[in-house]
Amino acid sequence: MNTRLLIVIALIIAGIAGWFFQQQDEVSPPVSIEAPDVDYEATEIKAVQTNEEGETEYKLTAESLTHNPETNLDEMSGITMNWEPSAESRYLIEAGTAAISQQTGDLSLSGGFSLISENKKESSDIEPIKVTGSTLKGNTKSGKIYSEEPVQVEQGMNRFEASSMTANLETGEYEFGQVAVSFTSAERQDKALF
């Protein structure tokens, strides 16, 4: 073949390819990259928080954790927390979801929670208190918690419901609002006194 013929065929092919690409429309919609809503996220979390003296405040396990930069909160799901606000008491807290501020210590539990008090003294005869409800708020640094929604309370054989609760976990003091108790008395037995 002649070289001139090959050059002409190459120019025709290049012209057709150039015309074809010129006829193509722009890609729509254009790709946009936005900043993510989280700084970091992790799964299967095991964490320990200490105070300024290096003493353990709480130990925490969670299924997942994400840090929200807008609110500066650690948002977790499936949490279990061993909280020791004082030398005498320890609390086991479980919740569906939680949001904790590491700087302020503010804590918000939702998705159902369970709070169980445990006395560190082995010889204690005091039954643990178990409080369950839907939401719980508090502060890990002050040791105070509260719920403005109904809670159920159990201690040994005693059970009652309350419309709200506040507690100071360092001192072990609880306050309940509008307590409702159902009381079943023992069956009456008529016996002769003499």
Side-chain angles (χ1 to χ4, degrees), residues 26-186:
E26 291 185 22
V27 177
S28 71
V31 177
S32 66
I33 299 175
E34 297 179 8
D37 292 341
V38 295
D39 280 343
Y40 53 85
E41 59 185 305
T43 57
E44 299 180 22
I45 304 301
K46 293 182 181 177
V48 175
Q49 178 70 35
T50 58
N51 60 18
E52 292 80 20
E53 291 82 34
E55 299 167 337
T56 301
E57 282 184 0
Y58 61 85
K59 296 176 185 175
L60 179 110
T61 59
E63 293 172 4
S64 67
L65 172 137
T66 57
H67 181 261
N68 187 329
E70 293 178 11
T71 60
N72 198 26
L73 294 176
D74 291 331
E75 298 169 352
M76 294 169 270
S77 65
I79 74 154
T80 301
M81 182 175 178
N82 288 309
W83 189 0
E84 299 182 23
S86 69
E88 295 82 28
S89 59
R90 175 178 38 228
Y91 297 89
L92 175 65
I93 301 172
E94 295 178 341
T97 59
I100 298 176
S101 170
Q102 296 298 328
Q103 286 73 29
T104 63
D106 289 336
L107 168 72
S108 177
L109 306 176
S110 57
F113 76 90
S114 167
L115 168 77
I116 301 171
S117 68
E118 299 174 351
N119 198 327
K120 287 185 178 179
K121 296 178 183 175
E122 296 294 327
S123 62
S124 177
D125 293 337
I126 300 172
E127 292 279 340
I129 297 173
K130 180 179 180 181
V131 180
T132 56
S134 58
T135 63
L136 182 70
K137 295 184 180 184
N139 189 287
T140 58
K141 297 190 185 309
S142 69
K144 295 180 181 174
I145 59 171
Y146 66 94
S147 178
E148 296 172 341
E149 296 186 21
V151 295
Q152 294 79 36
V153 182
E154 298 177 30
Q155 186 177 25
M157 297 299 292
N158 303 314
R159 291 172 172 63
F160 64 88
E161 293 183 6
S163 66
S164 63
M165 173 198 75
T166 59
N168 183 336
L169 300 184
E170 289 183 353
T171 61
E173 296 173 355
Y174 294 85
E175 290 182 25
F176 299 100
Q178 296 181 346
V179 174
V181 178
S182 86
F183 178 73
T184 307
S185 61

